[in-house]
Amino acid sequence: MAPARAEADHAIAMHGEPELAKGFTHLPYADPAARRGGRIIFGLQGTFDSLNPLVVLGVAPDAVPRYVQQSLLFRSADEPFTAYGLLASRVELDEARTRLAFEIDPRARFSDGTPVTSEDVAFTFEMLKSKGKPFHRASLARVTGVETPSPSRIVFQLGDGSNRELPLVIGAMPIFAKHATDADRFGETSFKPALGSGPYRVEEVKPGEMIRLKRRSDFWAEDHPLSRGLYNADEIRYDFYRDANALFEAFKAGLYDVRPEGDPTRWMTGYDIPPVKDGRIKRVSLHFDAPKGMTGFVFNSRRPEFADIRVREALGMLFDFEWVNRNLFHGVYRRAGSFFSDSDLSALGVPADQREKALLAPFPGAVRDDILDGRWQPAATDGSGRDRRQARAALDLLEAAGYRIRDGRLVNATSGKPFAFEIMVTNRPQERLALNYASALKRLGVTVSVRLIDDVQYWRRLSAFDFDMIQWTWPASASPGNEQIGRWGSASAERRGALNYAGVRSPAVDAVLQALLAARSREDFVASVRALDRLLLSGFYVVPLYYLPETWLALSRDTLMPARQPRYFISNETLSRAAPPAGN
């Protein structure tokens, strides 16, 4: 069966056409002349008890799927959402996106020399669909058929084509070797690395402490256009540190090479140290065109305390961003007021157009009038830390929801039960902010405890939705898609391991999510994302916090970046090491 008018056979773009023509020599942000050799060490906070981040159980870094395994397609960091053929030498996709076929590159080999075949792809698909994380289970379940007419060809039937991102999700699966993978035990935690076809192999693992990868000399795609200028280091190491202070001290001591910095206080004052002054550490600020996601205190709306939207809105009004930003963060943050800030996908300050209104029409009242017409803004204070006007407005909402202040405590007017909850945090910066917020809430009689727990316990409780409130960041890409279902879809609200931490259950959100995935034009896509933004803002599922307009990165002197950076997100694969001094 030949497809009807097919898209480009070397790549898939979510919207529009791939920017790179067939036959391109390398990615625009990669430097094919970058030096090969040396070692790059990444430092991470926390620990790990598995090497497989694709299943619900365990805490695992991305080292194996990023550097050891490969996928059929490789996503470019220079386009909103375009993926080019990697393991696949050819891709066929009909215009309706109901049928997808891949031809596997005959050169592709796993590290044991075994060819990558369509059977490996089909095996991976079935394993992720049945035992992977909720994202893969939900997305891949929409495939209606899989055929392997030959060892080099696989065909997927995609139903009615309404999930237009599904071909890209399939193309992004890290491919497992069928002959070397125990499917029955795939869902368990394991320190046994997957057999991959990628540029590195796992050389050493110290559970919870370190992972060391070594570049393969027999990598099949060494001269592939998607490899040129990437994977330059001979060795990559992930080192783990228990807390943020230990992680930073290790960087200052030169124990690892790459440090993304998200703490404004540390960025502004913590780098006034000799290694920076003498050039052993360099700092860069990078700008990317991707939307800035949402960081916020997340209400677990499954809890009865947070079931009432008026309560959630009222508590959100008591976060004093102006005071916090000035006194704790040197004024560098911007206030978050959208799940897609700094982009045309944001609904903040933008009246809904006719496309959005048509999407929302079947759900009257799901979006507040002031959010629909673009008048709403996050609550702003006078910056004093004791804004009585905001406190009065919040108390009015709480009283409307059935609460009263008695003897200095906020209580349920009927039962007399005090309003109390816990904020669960996993590091000291989160703890500091949570304590500040708890202090603000205490002035209105709300009792808040802040609990700092270790990394493994935190992730286990998070996976089971066993918390009242957390601080969380949902990053945003330039092409939101299936991941939004895991974050906000009703089916994800009780699915263990899903990212719907707020417990959103909304027919309107579910409908808009489907419209987002089915959008064919850029205009329809933007309208559906903005409609989703308005629905989430209207639900007051989070206390919006802040975002940084730039990405901060600190590097060791000998860790080099290419001159040209990607447009949408950072690519660690392009890093390289400077040549050692003569005589070393």
Side-chain angles (χ1 to χ4, degrees):
M1 174 181 174
R5 188 181 70 81
E7 300 192 8
D9 68 359
H10 71 297
I12 300 175
M14 184 62 191
H15 297 105
E17 298 295 329
E19 291 185 6
L20 302 180
K22 188 174 182 178
F24 69 93
T25 58
H26 61 86
L27 292 166
Y29 53 88
D31 179 8
R35 179 182 176 272
R36 290 295 184 101
R39 178 179 65 194
I40 296 177
I41 304 175
F42 296 96
L44 292 86
Q45 182 182 336
T47 185
F48 66 98
D49 59 9
S50 177
L51 294 181
N52 184 5
L54 301 173
V55 296
V56 172
L57 295 180
V59 178
D62 67 351
V64 171
R66 178 182 287 270
Y67 293 107
V68 175
Q69 295 176 279
Q70 290 180 301
S71 51
L72 293 163
L73 304 175
F74 181 94
R75 183 173 183 175
S76 169
D78 221 36
E79 301 174 52
F81 198 179
T82 298
Y84 294 87
L86 182 55
L87 285 173
S89 58
R90 177 181 170 84
V91 56
E92 299 170 9
L93 180 62
D94 66 347
E95 187 176 13
R97 298 202 174 190
T98 61
R99 180 181 179 278
L100 172 69
F102 295 102
E103 291 283 347
I104 297 173
D105 195 315
R107 301 170 296 171
R109 296 286 189 278
F110 291 108
S111 60
D112 66 351
T114 306
V116 180
T117 70
S118 59
E119 288 297 323
D120 297 306
V121 178
F123 170 78
T124 299
F125 167 82
E126 293 294 341
M127 194 164 59
L128 290 176
K129 185 177 75 168
S130 61
K131 298 185 178 182
K133 282 191 172 178
F135 169 77
H136 275 124
R137 295 189 193 192
S139 300
L140 300 181
R142 301 188 67 153
V143 174
T144 57
V146 181
E147 307 159 33
T148 53
S150 77
S152 63
R153 184 173 176 82
I154 187 166
V155 182
F156 295 91
Q157 304 295 338
L158 308 181
D160 61 4
S162 60
N163 187 329
R164 295 184 64 78
E165 192 187 58
L166 185 54
L168 288 151
V169 174
I170 294 169
M173 297 184 304
I175 301 303
F176 289 81
K178 182 178 181 180
H179 70 279
T181 305
D182 184 348
D184 292 335
R185 303 189 67 180
F186 180 72
E188 302 174 9
T189 60
S190 174
F191 289 116
K192 180 183 178 182
L195 179 70
S197 60
Y200 294 87
R201 68 172 184 271
V202 176
E203 187 76 2
E204 183 183 7
V205 177
K206 292 183 179 179
E209 298 179 16
M210 183 271 287
I211 302 171
R212 184 163 63 90
L213 310 175
K214 186 173 182 179
R215 186 149 59 89
R216 293 170 48 201
S217 60
D218 58 348
F219 176 41
W220 74 272
E222 190 70 36
D223 199 39
H224 194 286
L226 293 171
S227 298
R228 292 178 189 142
L230 276 64
Y231 315 118
N232 300 304
D234 285 340
E235 185 176 298
I236 291 176
R237 203 170 81 200
Y238 283 35
D239 287 353
F240 292 79
Y241 297 86
R242 288 290 179 177
D243 59 61
N245 285 335
L247 183 65
F248 186 52
E249 291 302 317
F251 182 68
K252 291 194 296 183
L255 298 183
Y256 65 94
D257 300 301
V258 183
R259 178 181 172 81
E261 185 58 77
D263 185 333
T265 299
R266 186 173 284 129
W267 187 254
M268 300 297 289
T269 64
Y271 288 83
D272 186 17
I273 52 177
V276 174
K277 295 176 180 178
D278 64 23
R280 283 175 287 157
I281 290 176
K282 54 192 176 184
R283 301 194 301 162
V284 293
S285 294
L286 304 172
H287 174 78
F288 296 105
D289 291 340
K292 309 304 183 292
M294 172 61 79
T295 295
F297 286 123
V298 185
F299 297 104
N300 186 350
S301 66
R302 304 168 188 82
R303 299 288 205 245
E305 294 86 354
F306 299 140
D308 193 314
I309 192 172
R310 294 169 295 185
V311 171
R312 301 196 297 268
E313 181 182 5
L315 297 184
M317 296 171 72
L318 296 172
F319 176 70
D320 193 338
F321 168 77
E322 287 72 21
W323 188 94
V324 166
N325 193 35
R326 185 180 69 251
N327 290 280
L328 301 185
F329 300 126
H330 299 267
V332 301
Y333 276 127
R334 295 180 185 173
R335 183 71 192 270
S338 166
F339 289 79
F340 309 96
S341 295
D342 265 9
S343 77
D344 63 346
L345 303 178
S346 171
L348 185 66
V350 181
D353 62 16
Q354 291 306 311
R355 285 185 173 88
E356 288 183 70
K357 291 178 179 178
L359 288 171
L360 297 168
F363 309 100
V367 173
R368 285 194 355 182
D369 289 344
D370 58 344
I371 293 176
L372 189 68
D373 62 23
R375 289 182 291 112
W376 179 85
Q377 294 286 330
T381 71
D382 60 12
S384 67
R386 306 184 68 88
D387 190 321
R388 294 185 178 182
R389 178 181 54 85
Q390 286 294 92
R392 180 68 257 176
L395 184 59
D396 289 344
L397 282 171
L398 291 167
E399 289 179 344
Y403 290 90
R404 300 291 185 273
I405 293 181
R406 293 176 184 167
D407 300 325
R409 295 191 301 172
L410 188 73
V411 300
N412 185 290
T414 302
S415 68
K417 181 181 178 182
F419 193 101
F421 66 92
E422 176 187 272
I423 304 177
M424 185 175 74
V425 299
T426 188
N427 56 54
R428 294 297 179 186
Q430 285 188 0
E431 182 183 43
R432 179 177 67 160
L433 189 64
L435 288 170
N436 175 274
Y437 185 42
S439 177
L441 293 174
K442 184 178 180 180
R443 289 194 289 273
L444 215 61
V446 179
T447 302
V448 180
S449 59
V450 177
R451 185 177 183 188
L452 175 65
I453 61 177
D454 67 72
D455 207 46
V456 172
Q457 185 182 2
Y458 179 83
W459 286 107
R460 286 176 179 165
R461 287 187 59 181
L462 210 59
S463 179
F465 308 122
D466 181 19
F467 62 88
D468 297 333
M469 176 178 279
I470 57 170
Q471 181 183 330
W472 188 256
T473 297
W474 287 281
S477 78
S479 183
N482 279 277
E483 79 286 349
Q484 302 296 318
I485 294 178
R487 297 176 181 183
W488 317 116
S490 297
S492 301
E494 302 302 332
R495 184 178 290 148
R496 183 181 177 89
L499 300 182
N500 190 347
Y501 297 132
V504 178
R505 302 179 191 85
S506 164
V509 169
D510 292 338
V512 166
L513 287 170
Q514 295 308 312
L516 184 157
L517 295 172
R520 294 195 175 209
S521 70
R522 175 70 183 175
E523 293 78 13
D524 286 344
F525 177 71
V526 171
S528 62
V529 178
R530 285 182 180 172
L532 173 63
D533 201 20
R534 295 184 204 278
L535 288 165
L536 297 176
L537 293 173
S538 295
F540 293 95
Y541 298 108
V542 306
V543 179
L545 297 181
Y546 40 63
Y547 66 90
L548 290 171
E550 305 290 327
T551 297
W552 294 330
L553 195 64
L555 303 163
S556 63
R557 174 174 52 201
D558 294 331
T559 302
L560 308 178
M561 305 176 70
R564 157 83 150 80
Q565 290 300 301
R567 284 185 59 196
Y568 289 100
F569 53 90
I570 199 165
S571 173
N572 286 334
E573 294 87 345
T574 63
L575 297 175
S576 62
R577 291 289 287 180
N584 285 10

